[in-house]
Amino acid sequence: KFQFIGNYKDIYSKKEFIDKNVVKHDKNLLTGCVTFLDVNFQDASISSDKLRCEDSVNILNSKGRIDKIEISNSLHDGLDIDFSEISINQMNITNSGNDCADLSFGKYTILKSNLNGCKDKAFSFGEHSKALVKDTIINNSLMGIVSKDSSIVEVKNLKDAVKAFKKKKMVLAPWCGT
């Protein structure tokens, strides 16, 4: 696992783990093979391939602009961003074993994206996130863009289906039925 703190321009990670054990989190409860914590991005480029953690790339409590993100062949989530305010110019994510991009508790702008081969959601926005997604191509994914848990997502120029729902269960009084 790696943790980056500070400003970075080009970051590339390629490490194919040989053992089949999935790293769910480290001793600090971080879930990314590559974790960016408290980073102010300024036109950074991030790439990863064949990572086997819960999240190939994890961004936490960060802000700024990322020029390009390219993630491929993730065992689980390709990209996970939480508690951040991030603008991404170009995002390409292929072959994720779960969500291609999982974004929560923040403000996000994705200007151009191509997501392919997401075993679950191409985009998952949750926990009161606000997002703008433009010029998106989604192929071979179980779901396209999912907005849940009071998130607001504005979508422009999408080529796939959209689903919105509240993920958390509501407890009903006995007289309400099921």
Side-chain angles (χ1 to χ4, degrees):
K1 293 213 177 212
F2 305 97
Q3 179 178 341
F4 293 92
I5 301 174
N7 293 318
Y8 297 88
K9 178 67 177 159
D10 297 301
I11 298 99
Y12 176 74
S13 177
K14 180 177 181 180
K15 182 177 181 181
E16 188 169 356
F17 291 92
I18 295 171
D19 72 33
K20 298 298 179 193
N21 296 322
V22 177
V23 179
K24 291 288 188 180
H25 57 77
D26 68 3
K27 65 182 180 181
N28 298 310
L29 301 178
L30 298 174
T31 58
C33 285
V34 178
T35 298
F36 297 92
L37 176 63
D38 297 321
V39 175
N40 182 12
F41 291 101
Q42 297 176 8
D43 298 317
S45 294
I46 300 169
S47 301
S48 75
D49 187 32
K50 298 179 183 170
L51 297 181
R52 302 182 60 84
C53 298
E54 182 69 18
D55 307 311
S56 286
V57 175
N58 190 215
I59 299 173
L60 296 165
N61 198 38
S62 296
K63 61 183 178 177
R65 293 181 320 272
I66 299 173
D67 183 50
K68 184 182 260 188
I69 293 179
E70 294 195 356
I71 299 173
S72 57
N73 304 307
S74 300
L75 185 62
H76 292 286
D77 288 352
L79 175 67
D80 190 301
I81 307 177
D82 300 301
F83 306 104
S84 297
E85 189 169 335
I86 301 287
S87 176
I88 301 168
N89 187 46
Q90 173 71 46
M91 176 190 294
N92 299 310
I93 302 178
T94 58
N95 300 324
S96 288
N98 196 37
D99 297 339
C100 278
D102 184 355
L103 302 96
S104 299
F105 293 108
K107 294 181 182 177
Y108 306 103
T109 302
I110 295 95
L111 298 178
K112 189 173 184 182
S113 57
N114 190 336
L115 289 80
N116 186 20
C118 314
K119 295 282 191 245
D120 195 2
K121 299 172 280 300
F123 279 108
S124 177
F125 293 97
E127 290 82 25
H128 302 279
S129 291
K130 292 184 181 177
L132 170 63
V133 178
K134 295 174 73 175
D135 297 322
T136 295
I137 299 171
I138 297 172
N139 289 302
N140 303 314
S141 299
L142 182 62
M143 290 181 260
I145 297 176
V146 174
S147 174
K148 58 187 190 270
D149 303 324
S150 303
S151 294
I152 298 170
V153 180
E154 181 181 353
V155 180
K156 296 182 179 182
N157 300 326
L158 170 68
K159 297 183 181 175
D160 201 307
V162 177
K163 181 182 281 189
F165 63 92
K166 187 143 185 105
K167 182 175 116 177
K168 308 297 183 208
K169 287 186 176 186
M170 183 185 334
V171 178
L172 298 175
W175 60 86
C176 292
T178 55

mmCIF file of all heavy atoms in Angstrom, residues 48-94:
data_model
loop_
_atom_site.group_PDB
_atom_site.id
_atom_site.type_symbol
_atom_site.label_atom_id
_atom_site.label_comp_id
_atom_site.label_asym_id
_atom_site.label_seq_id
_atom_site.Cartn_x
_atom_site.Cartn_y
_atom_site.Cartn_z
ATOM 1 N N SER A 48 -3.338 3.291 -13.034
ATOM 2 C CA SER A 48 -3.055 2.043 -12.319
ATOM 3 C C SER A 48 -3.539 0.879 -13.167
ATOM 4 O O SER A 48 -4.425 1.023 -14.001
ATOM 5 C CB SER A 48 -3.713 2.028 -10.934
ATOM 6 O OG SER A 48 -5.097 1.798 -11.042
ATOM 7 N N ASP A 49 -2.948 -0.290 -12.919
ATOM 8 C CA ASP A 49 -3.301 -1.493 -13.654
ATOM 9 C C ASP A 49 -3.099 -2.707 -12.752
ATOM 10 O O ASP A 49 -2.094 -2.802 -12.051
ATOM 11 C CB ASP A 49 -2.438 -1.606 -14.909
ATOM 12 C CG ASP A 49 -2.855 -2.743 -15.813
ATOM 13 O OD1 ASP A 49 -4.055 -3.071 -15.879
ATOM 14 O OD2 ASP A 49 -1.979 -3.322 -16.466
ATOM 15 N N LYS A 50 -4.068 -3.610 -12.750
ATOM 16 C CA LYS A 50 -3.987 -4.909 -12.091
ATOM 17 C C LYS A 50 -3.762 -4.814 -10.589
ATOM 18 O O LYS A 50 -2.992 -5.585 -10.020
ATOM 19 C CB LYS A 50 -2.889 -5.757 -12.723
ATOM 20 C CG LYS A 50 -3.139 -6.069 -14.182
ATOM 21 C CD LYS A 50 -2.027 -6.874 -14.772
ATOM 22 C CE LYS A 50 -2.303 -7.100 -16.249
ATOM 23 N NZ LYS A 50 -1.152 -7.683 -16.933
ATOM 24 N N LEU A 51 -4.484 -3.916 -9.920
ATOM 25 C CA LEU A 51 -4.357 -3.818 -8.474
ATOM 26 C C LEU A 51 -5.477 -4.609 -7.804
ATOM 27 O O LEU A 51 -6.589 -4.682 -8.307
ATOM 28 C CB LEU A 51 -4.354 -2.358 -8.030
ATOM 29 C CG LEU A 51 -3.177 -1.545 -8.569
ATOM 30 C CD1 LEU A 51 -3.226 -0.109 -8.061
ATOM 31 C CD2 LEU A 51 -1.849 -2.181 -8.192
ATOM 32 N N ARG A 52 -5.186 -5.214 -6.630
ATOM 33 C CA ARG A 52 -6.087 -6.189 -6.030
ATOM 34 C C ARG A 52 -6.596 -5.768 -4.657
ATOM 35 O O ARG A 52 -6.972 -6.611 -3.861
ATOM 36 C CB ARG A 52 -5.382 -7.538 -5.927
ATOM 37 C CG ARG A 52 -4.910 -8.062 -7.273
ATOM 38 C CD ARG A 52 -4.272 -9.420 -7.144
ATOM 39 N NE ARG A 52 -5.175 -10.410 -6.597
ATOM 40 C CZ ARG A 52 -6.064 -11.103 -7.292
ATOM 41 N NH1 ARG A 52 -6.183 -10.897 -8.574
ATOM 42 N NH2 ARG A 52 -6.834 -11.997 -6.704
ATOM 43 N N CYS A 53 -6.621 -4.499 -4.353
ATOM 44 C CA CYS A 53 -7.144 -4.031 -3.065
ATOM 45 C C CYS A 53 -8.645 -3.773 -3.178
ATOM 46 O O CYS A 53 -9.218 -3.859 -4.258
ATOM 47 C CB CYS A 53 -6.432 -2.757 -2.635
ATOM 48 S SG CYS A 53 -4.666 -2.990 -2.389
ATOM 49 N N GLU A 54 -9.263 -3.415 -2.078
ATOM 50 C CA GLU A 54 -10.680 -3.055 -2.079
ATOM 51 C C GLU A 54 -10.934 -1.906 -3.065
ATOM 52 O O GLU A 54 -11.937 -1.890 -3.757
ATOM 53 C CB GLU A 54 -11.119 -2.667 -0.669
ATOM 54 C CG GLU A 54 -12.569 -2.316 -0.549
ATOM 55 C CD GLU A 54 -13.514 -3.500 -0.725
ATOM 56 O OE1 GLU A 54 -13.075 -4.663 -0.608
ATOM 57 O OE2 GLU A 54 -14.695 -3.255 -1.003
ATOM 58 N N ASP A 55 -10.009 -0.934 -3.113
ATOM 59 C CA ASP A 55 -10.038 0.173 -4.075
ATOM 60 C C ASP A 55 -8.652 0.255 -4.710
ATOM 61 O O ASP A 55 -7.657 0.355 -3.993
ATOM 62 C CB ASP A 55 -10.334 1.507 -3.378
ATOM 63 C CG ASP A 55 -11.590 1.450 -2.519
ATOM 64 O OD1 ASP A 55 -12.620 0.972 -3.018
ATOM 65 O OD2 ASP A 55 -11.528 1.889 -1.353
ATOM 66 N N SER A 56 -8.594 0.247 -6.030
ATOM 67 C CA SER A 56 -7.275 0.395 -6.665
ATOM 68 C C SER A 56 -6.686 1.756 -6.334
ATOM 69 O O SER A 56 -5.549 1.869 -5.890
ATOM 70 C CB SER A 56 -7.381 0.214 -8.180
ATOM 71 O OG SER A 56 -7.572 -1.142 -8.483
ATOM 72 N N VAL A 57 -7.471 2.820 -6.565
ATOM 73 C CA VAL A 57 -7.040 4.183 -6.240
ATOM 74 C C VAL A 57 -8.080 4.771 -5.303
ATOM 75 O O VAL A 57 -9.271 4.759 -5.596
ATOM 76 C CB VAL A 57 -6.899 5.054 -7.510
ATOM 77 C CG1 VAL A 57 -6.565 6.493 -7.144
ATOM 78 C CG2 VAL A 57 -5.834 4.468 -8.442
ATOM 79 N N ASN A 58 -7.623 5.289 -4.166
ATOM 80 C CA ASN A 58 -8.510 5.879 -3.167
ATOM 81 C C ASN A 58 -8.055 7.310 -2.895
ATOM 82 O O ASN A 58 -6.879 7.545 -2.637
ATOM 83 C CB ASN A 58 -8.461 5.045 -1.884
ATOM 84 C CG ASN A 58 -9.510 5.428 -0.873
ATOM 85 O OD1 ASN A 58 -9.266 5.371 0.319
ATOM 86 N ND2 ASN A 58 -10.695 5.792 -1.299
ATOM 87 N N ILE A 59 -8.979 8.262 -2.998
ATOM 88 C CA ILE A 59 -8.691 9.677 -2.729
ATOM 89 C C ILE A 59 -9.567 10.102 -1.560
ATOM 90 O O ILE A 59 -10.786 9.942 -1.610
ATOM 91 C CB ILE A 59 -8.959 10.541 -3.973
ATOM 92 C CG1 ILE A 59 -8.050 10.095 -5.129
ATOM 93 C CG2 ILE A 59 -8.767 12.021 -3.648
ATOM 94 C CD1 ILE A 59 -8.349 10.760 -6.464
ATOM 95 N N LEU A 60 -8.959 10.652 -0.516
ATOM 96 C CA LEU A 60 -9.673 11.048 0.694
ATOM 97 C C LEU A 60 -9.365 12.486 1.073
ATOM 98 O O LEU A 60 -8.199 12.899 1.024
ATOM 99 C CB LEU A 60 -9.255 10.150 1.875
ATOM 100 C CG LEU A 60 -9.597 8.680 1.770
ATOM 101 C CD1 LEU A 60 -8.813 7.886 2.796
ATOM 102 C CD2 LEU A 60 -11.077 8.483 1.969
ATOM 103 N N ASN A 61 -10.405 13.220 1.437
ATOM 104 C CA ASN A 61 -10.244 14.559 1.996
ATOM 105 C C ASN A 61 -9.308 15.420 1.148
ATOM 106 O O ASN A 61 -8.389 16.053 1.665
ATOM 107 C CB ASN A 61 -9.736 14.457 3.441
ATOM 108 C CG ASN A 61 -9.959 15.742 4.191
ATOM 109 O OD1 ASN A 61 -10.978 16.401 4.021
ATOM 110 N ND2 ASN A 61 -8.998 16.103 5.021
ATOM 111 N N SER A 62 -9.529 15.441 -0.154
ATOM 112 C CA SER A 62 -8.645 16.150 -1.074
ATOM 113 C C SER A 62 -9.442 17.111 -1.933
ATOM 114 O O SER A 62 -10.674 17.102 -1.927
ATOM 115 C CB SER A 62 -7.895 15.148 -1.949
ATOM 116 O OG SER A 62 -7.051 14.337 -1.156
ATOM 117 N N LYS A 63 -8.746 17.935 -2.698
ATOM 118 C CA LYS A 63 -9.404 18.892 -3.578
ATOM 119 C C LYS A 63 -8.519 19.166 -4.781
ATOM 120 O O LYS A 63 -7.366 18.749 -4.830
ATOM 121 C CB LYS A 63 -9.716 20.189 -2.830
ATOM 122 C CG LYS A 63 -8.506 20.904 -2.298
ATOM 123 C CD LYS A 63 -8.901 22.128 -1.507
ATOM 124 C CE LYS A 63 -7.652 22.802 -0.933
ATOM 125 N NZ LYS A 63 -7.977 24.020 -0.224
ATOM 126 N N GLY A 64 -9.102 19.876 -5.759
ATOM 127 C CA GLY A 64 -8.317 20.298 -6.909
ATOM 128 C C GLY A 64 -8.744 19.677 -8.220
ATOM 129 O O GLY A 64 -9.851 19.157 -8.358
ATOM 130 N N ARG A 65 -7.821 19.748 -9.196
ATOM 131 C CA ARG A 65 -8.061 19.288 -10.559
ATOM 132 C C ARG A 65 -7.151 18.114 -10.890
ATOM 133 O O ARG A 65 -5.946 18.173 -10.670
ATOM 134 C CB ARG A 65 -7.780 20.412 -11.545
ATOM 135 C CG ARG A 65 -8.721 21.579 -11.489
ATOM 136 C CD ARG A 65 -8.371 22.638 -12.535
ATOM 137 N NE ARG A 65 -6.950 22.870 -12.699
ATOM 138 C CZ ARG A 65 -6.220 23.740 -11.990
ATOM 139 N NH1 ARG A 65 -6.776 24.438 -11.035
ATOM 140 N NH2 ARG A 65 -4.940 23.894 -12.225
ATOM 141 N N ILE A 66 -7.776 17.095 -11.477
ATOM 142 C CA ILE A 66 -7.013 15.965 -11.993
ATOM 143 C C ILE A 66 -7.227 15.957 -13.493
ATOM 144 O O ILE A 66 -8.364 15.934 -13.961
ATOM 145 C CB ILE A 66 -7.483 14.638 -11.356
ATOM 146 C CG1 ILE A 66 -7.268 14.681 -9.839
ATOM 147 C CG2 ILE A 66 -6.746 13.464 -11.991
ATOM 148 C CD1 ILE A 66 -7.845 13.493 -9.099
ATOM 149 N N ASP A 67 -6.153 16.002 -14.248
ATOM 150 C CA ASP A 67 -6.268 16.053 -15.698
ATOM 151 C C ASP A 67 -6.755 14.722 -16.254
ATOM 152 O O ASP A 67 -7.687 14.677 -17.042
ATOM 153 C CB ASP A 67 -4.937 16.430 -16.338
ATOM 154 C CG ASP A 67 -5.054 16.571 -17.842
ATOM 155 O OD1 ASP A 67 -5.976 17.291 -18.299
ATOM 156 O OD2 ASP A 67 -4.255 15.952 -18.572
ATOM 157 N N LYS A 68 -6.130 13.615 -15.817
ATOM 158 C CA LYS A 68 -6.502 12.314 -16.374
ATOM 159 C C LYS A 68 -6.346 11.217 -15.330
ATOM 160 O O LYS A 68 -5.366 11.175 -14.602
ATOM 161 C CB LYS A 68 -5.625 11.996 -17.574
ATOM 162 C CG LYS A 68 -6.007 10.708 -18.287
ATOM 163 C CD LYS A 68 -5.082 10.412 -19.440
ATOM 164 C CE LYS A 68 -5.747 10.843 -20.716
ATOM 165 N NZ LYS A 68 -4.991 10.431 -21.904
ATOM 166 N N ILE A 69 -7.350 10.334 -15.310
ATOM 167 C CA ILE A 69 -7.301 9.112 -14.502
ATOM 168 C C ILE A 69 -7.520 7.935 -15.437
ATOM 169 O O ILE A 69 -8.499 7.911 -16.181
ATOM 170 C CB ILE A 69 -8.385 9.104 -13.404
ATOM 171 C CG1 ILE A 69 -8.103 10.186 -12.367
ATOM 172 C CG2 ILE A 69 -8.463 7.732 -12.736
ATOM 173 C CD1 ILE A 69 -9.129 10.257 -11.261
ATOM 174 N N GLU A 70 -6.592 6.984 -15.415
ATOM 175 C CA GLU A 70 -6.715 5.759 -16.198
ATOM 176 C C GLU A 70 -6.499 4.577 -15.266
ATOM 177 O O GLU A 70 -5.425 4.427 -14.694
ATOM 178 C CB GLU A 70 -5.715 5.739 -17.345
ATOM 179 C CG GLU A 70 -6.000 6.814 -18.366
ATOM 180 C CD GLU A 70 -5.261 6.614 -19.674
ATOM 181 O OE1 GLU A 70 -4.459 5.667 -19.771
ATOM 182 O OE2 GLU A 70 -5.500 7.402 -20.582
ATOM 183 N N ILE A 71 -7.544 3.763 -15.112
ATOM 184 C CA ILE A 71 -7.484 2.615 -14.213
ATOM 185 C C ILE A 71 -8.000 1.404 -14.975
ATOM 186 O O ILE A 71 -9.056 1.458 -15.602
ATOM 187 C CB ILE A 71 -8.340 2.861 -12.949
ATOM 188 C CG1 ILE A 71 -7.804 4.078 -12.183
ATOM 189 C CG2 ILE A 71 -8.368 1.619 -12.066
ATOM 190 C CD1 ILE A 71 -8.675 4.509 -11.024
ATOM 191 N N SER A 72 -7.259 0.303 -14.896
ATOM 192 C CA SER A 72 -7.704 -0.904 -15.589
ATOM 193 C C SER A 72 -7.458 -2.146 -14.742
ATOM 194 O O SER A 72 -6.550 -2.186 -13.914
ATOM 195 C CB SER A 72 -7.008 -1.038 -16.951
ATOM 196 O OG SER A 72 -5.609 -1.046 -16.802
ATOM 197 N N ASN A 73 -8.320 -3.130 -14.951
ATOM 198 C CA ASN A 73 -8.173 -4.464 -14.377
ATOM 199 C C ASN A 73 -8.100 -4.477 -12.851
ATOM 200 O O ASN A 73 -7.233 -5.124 -12.258
ATOM 201 C CB ASN A 73 -6.943 -5.158 -14.985
ATOM 202 C CG ASN A 73 -7.034 -5.199 -16.498
ATOM 203 O OD1 ASN A 73 -8.023 -5.646 -17.053
ATOM 204 N ND2 ASN A 73 -6.014 -4.669 -17.163
ATOM 205 N N SER A 74 -9.028 -3.781 -12.204
ATOM 206 C CA SER A 74 -9.099 -3.760 -10.741
ATOM 207 C C SER A 74 -9.882 -4.973 -10.250
ATOM 208 O O SER A 74 -10.920 -5.311 -10.806
ATOM 209 C CB SER A 74 -9.811 -2.498 -10.262
ATOM 210 O OG SER A 74 -9.115 -1.354 -10.697
ATOM 211 N N LEU A 75 -9.416 -5.575 -9.180
ATOM 212 C CA LEU A 75 -10.131 -6.714 -8.631
ATOM 213 C C LEU A 75 -11.487 -6.281 -8.074
ATOM 214 O O LEU A 75 -12.479 -6.984 -8.219
ATOM 215 C CB LEU A 75 -9.314 -7.404 -7.541
ATOM 216 C CG LEU A 75 -9.935 -8.680 -6.977
ATOM 217 C CD1 LEU A 75 -10.071 -9.745 -8.064
ATOM 218 C CD2 LEU A 75 -9.098 -9.197 -5.821
ATOM 219 N N HIS A 76 -11.542 -5.105 -7.434
ATOM 220 C CA HIS A 76 -12.796 -4.585 -6.878
ATOM 221 C C HIS A 76 -13.056 -3.199 -7.468
ATOM 222 O O HIS A 76 -13.057 -3.064 -8.680
ATOM 223 C CB HIS A 76 -12.744 -4.575 -5.349
ATOM 224 C CG HIS A 76 -12.733 -5.944 -4.765
ATOM 225 N ND1 HIS A 76 -13.855 -6.750 -4.718
ATOM 226 C CD2 HIS A 76 -11.735 -6.672 -4.223
ATOM 227 C CE1 HIS A 76 -13.540 -7.913 -4.178
ATOM 228 N NE2 HIS A 76 -12.262 -7.892 -3.872
ATOM 229 N N ASP A 77 -13.283 -2.164 -6.643
ATOM 230 C CA ASP A 77 -13.531 -0.814 -7.161
ATOM 231 C C ASP A 77 -12.271 -0.262 -7.836
ATOM 232 O O ASP A 77 -11.158 -0.417 -7.309
ATOM 233 C CB ASP A 77 -13.929 0.145 -6.040
ATOM 234 C CG ASP A 77 -15.334 -0.109 -5.503
ATOM 235 O OD1 ASP A 77 -16.070 -0.935 -6.098
ATOM 236 O OD2 ASP A 77 -15.690 0.528 -4.506
ATOM 237 N N GLY A 78 -12.479 0.383 -8.965
ATOM 238 C CA GLY A 78 -11.349 1.024 -9.635
ATOM 239 C C GLY A 78 -10.935 2.292 -8.911
ATOM 240 O O GLY A 78 -9.784 2.468 -8.527
ATOM 241 N N LEU A 79 -11.903 3.202 -8.720
ATOM 242 C CA LEU A 79 -11.639 4.504 -8.099
ATOM 243 C C LEU A 79 -12.637 4.725 -6.980
ATOM 244 O O LEU A 79 -13.835 4.519 -7.161
ATOM 245 C CB LEU A 79 -11.786 5.610 -9.150
ATOM 246 C CG LEU A 79 -11.668 7.050 -8.663
ATOM 247 C CD1 LEU A 79 -10.247 7.343 -8.176
ATOM 248 C CD2 LEU A 79 -12.039 8.016 -9.787
ATOM 249 N N ASP A 80 -12.156 5.163 -5.832
ATOM 250 C CA ASP A 80 -13.021 5.504 -4.704
ATOM 251 C C ASP A 80 -12.581 6.875 -4.191
ATOM 252 O O ASP A 80 -11.409 7.057 -3.857
ATOM 253 C CB ASP A 80 -12.891 4.456 -3.605
ATOM 254 C CG ASP A 80 -13.950 4.625 -2.526
ATOM 255 O OD1 ASP A 80 -13.997 5.709 -1.916
ATOM 256 O OD2 ASP A 80 -14.711 3.684 -2.283
ATOM 257 N N ILE A 81 -13.517 7.839 -4.176
ATOM 258 C CA ILE A 81 -13.208 9.182 -3.678
ATOM 259 C C ILE A 81 -14.230 9.530 -2.601
ATOM 260 O O ILE A 81 -15.431 9.395 -2.814
ATOM 261 C CB ILE A 81 -13.261 10.244 -4.797
ATOM 262 C CG1 ILE A 81 -12.372 9.850 -5.985
ATOM 263 C CG2 ILE A 81 -12.830 11.603 -4.244
ATOM 264 C CD1 ILE A 81 -12.443 10.831 -7.153
ATOM 265 N N ASP A 82 -13.735 9.993 -1.448
ATOM 266 C CA ASP A 82 -14.599 10.366 -0.333
ATOM 267 C C ASP A 82 -14.154 11.695 0.265
ATOM 268 O O ASP A 82 -12.950 11.993 0.300
ATOM 269 C CB ASP A 82 -14.540 9.300 0.773
ATOM 270 C CG ASP A 82 -14.987 7.934 0.297
ATOM 271 O OD1 ASP A 82 -16.129 7.824 -0.163
ATOM 272 O OD2 ASP A 82 -14.186 6.978 0.392
ATOM 273 N N PHE A 83 -15.131 12.462 0.760
ATOM 274 C CA PHE A 83 -14.881 13.709 1.490
ATOM 275 C C PHE A 83 -13.977 14.663 0.701
ATOM 276 O O PHE A 83 -13.048 15.249 1.241
ATOM 277 C CB PHE A 83 -14.248 13.418 2.864
ATOM 278 C CG PHE A 83 -15.039 12.465 3.693
ATOM 279 C CD1 PHE A 83 -14.641 11.139 3.843
ATOM 280 C CD2 PHE A 83 -16.206 12.882 4.323
ATOM 281 C CE1 PHE A 83 -15.386 10.253 4.606
ATOM 282 C CE2 PHE A 83 -16.959 12.008 5.092
ATOM 283 C CZ PHE A 83 -16.542 10.688 5.233
ATOM 284 N N SER A 84 -14.248 14.828 -0.578
ATOM 285 C CA SER A 84 -13.366 15.615 -1.431
ATOM 286 C C SER A 84 -14.149 16.552 -2.335
ATOM 287 O O SER A 84 -15.354 16.400 -2.520
ATOM 288 C CB SER A 84 -12.498 14.674 -2.283
ATOM 289 O OG SER A 84 -11.667 13.881 -1.469
ATOM 290 N N GLU A 85 -13.441 17.503 -2.913
ATOM 291 C CA GLU A 85 -13.978 18.392 -3.939
ATOM 292 C C GLU A 85 -13.000 18.332 -5.107
ATOM 293 O O GLU A 85 -11.958 18.973 -5.102
ATOM 294 C CB GLU A 85 -14.114 19.818 -3.400
ATOM 295 C CG GLU A 85 -14.868 20.718 -4.339
ATOM 296 C CD GLU A 85 -15.240 22.053 -3.716
ATOM 297 O OE1 GLU A 85 -15.353 22.137 -2.478
ATOM 298 O OE2 GLU A 85 -15.419 23.006 -4.488
ATOM 299 N N ILE A 86 -13.357 17.497 -6.103
ATOM 300 C CA ILE A 86 -12.441 17.147 -7.181
ATOM 301 C C ILE A 86 -13.094 17.389 -8.539
ATOM 302 O O ILE A 86 -14.249 17.039 -8.754
ATOM 303 C CB ILE A 86 -12.025 15.663 -7.089
ATOM 304 C CG1 ILE A 86 -11.335 15.341 -5.758
ATOM 305 C CG2 ILE A 86 -11.158 15.240 -8.269
ATOM 306 C CD1 ILE A 86 -9.940 15.866 -5.619
ATOM 307 N N SER A 87 -12.315 17.944 -9.461
ATOM 308 C CA SER A 87 -12.713 18.073 -10.860
ATOM 309 C C SER A 87 -11.771 17.200 -11.689
ATOM 310 O O SER A 87 -10.544 17.285 -11.543
ATOM 311 C CB SER A 87 -12.612 19.535 -11.300
ATOM 312 O OG SER A 87 -12.905 19.651 -12.677
ATOM 313 N N ILE A 88 -12.358 16.346 -12.545
ATOM 314 C CA ILE A 88 -11.569 15.438 -13.373
ATOM 315 C C ILE A 88 -11.859 15.748 -14.835
ATOM 316 O O ILE A 88 -13.008 15.708 -15.267
ATOM 317 C CB ILE A 88 -11.913 13.970 -13.060
ATOM 318 C CG1 ILE A 88 -11.642 13.676 -11.582
ATOM 319 C CG2 ILE A 88 -11.122 13.025 -13.971
ATOM 320 C CD1 ILE A 88 -12.206 12.355 -11.107
ATOM 321 N N ASN A 89 -10.812 16.049 -15.589
ATOM 322 C CA ASN A 89 -10.973 16.378 -17.000
ATOM 323 C C ASN A 89 -11.295 15.132 -17.830
ATOM 324 O O ASN A 89 -12.222 15.132 -18.619
ATOM 325 C CB ASN A 89 -9.718 17.070 -17.533
ATOM 326 C CG ASN A 89 -9.912 17.566 -18.942
ATOM 327 O OD1 ASN A 89 -10.929 18.171 -19.259
ATOM 328 N ND2 ASN A 89 -8.944 17.292 -19.802
ATOM 329 N N GLN A 90 -10.535 14.046 -17.654
ATOM 330 C CA GLN A 90 -10.706 12.830 -18.445
ATOM 331 C C GLN A 90 -10.556 11.615 -17.537
ATOM 332 O O GLN A 90 -9.572 11.512 -16.806
ATOM 333 C CB GLN A 90 -9.654 12.760 -19.549
ATOM 334 C CG GLN A 90 -9.626 11.453 -20.334
ATOM 335 C CD GLN A 90 -10.831 11.293 -21.239
ATOM 336 O OE1 GLN A 90 -11.204 12.207 -21.941
ATOM 337 N NE2 GLN A 90 -11.444 10.122 -21.230
ATOM 338 N N MET A 91 -11.538 10.693 -17.600
ATOM 339 C CA MET A 91 -11.495 9.475 -16.792
ATOM 340 C C MET A 91 -11.756 8.274 -17.684
ATOM 341 O O MET A 91 -12.766 8.235 -18.387
ATOM 342 C CB MET A 91 -12.556 9.549 -15.689
ATOM 343 C CG MET A 91 -12.672 8.293 -14.851
ATOM 344 S SD MET A 91 -14.113 8.301 -13.748
ATOM 345 C CE MET A 91 -13.711 9.610 -12.635
ATOM 346 N N ASN A 92 -10.851 7.313 -17.662
ATOM 347 C CA ASN A 92 -11.020 6.055 -18.385
ATOM 348 C C ASN A 92 -10.816 4.916 -17.394
ATOM 349 O O ASN A 92 -9.724 4.767 -16.843
ATOM 350 C CB ASN A 92 -9.996 5.921 -19.519
ATOM 351 C CG ASN A 92 -10.136 7.023 -20.542
ATOM 352 O OD1 ASN A 92 -11.226 7.281 -21.028
ATOM 353 N ND2 ASN A 92 -9.048 7.689 -20.860
ATOM 354 N N ILE A 93 -11.859 4.131 -17.169
ATOM 355 C CA ILE A 93 -11.764 3.001 -16.251
ATOM 356 C C ILE A 93 -12.331 1.774 -16.959
ATOM 357 O O ILE A 93 -13.448 1.809 -17.471
ATOM 358 C CB ILE A 93 -12.515 3.264 -14.932
ATOM 359 C CG1 ILE A 93 -11.968 4.526 -14.257
ATOM 360 C CG2 ILE A 93 -12.385 2.053 -14.006
ATOM 361 C CD1 ILE A 93 -12.667 4.902 -12.969
ATOM 362 N N THR A 94 -11.545 0.694 -16.979
ATOM 363 C CA THR A 94 -11.979 -0.543 -17.637
ATOM 364 C C THR A 94 -11.764 -1.734 -16.713
ATOM 365 O O THR A 94 -10.801 -1.800 -15.956
ATOM 366 C CB THR A 94 -11.213 -0.787 -18.948
ATOM 367 O OG1 THR A 94 -9.810 -0.838 -18.680
ATOM 368 C CG2 THR A 94 -11.483 0.308 -19.956
#
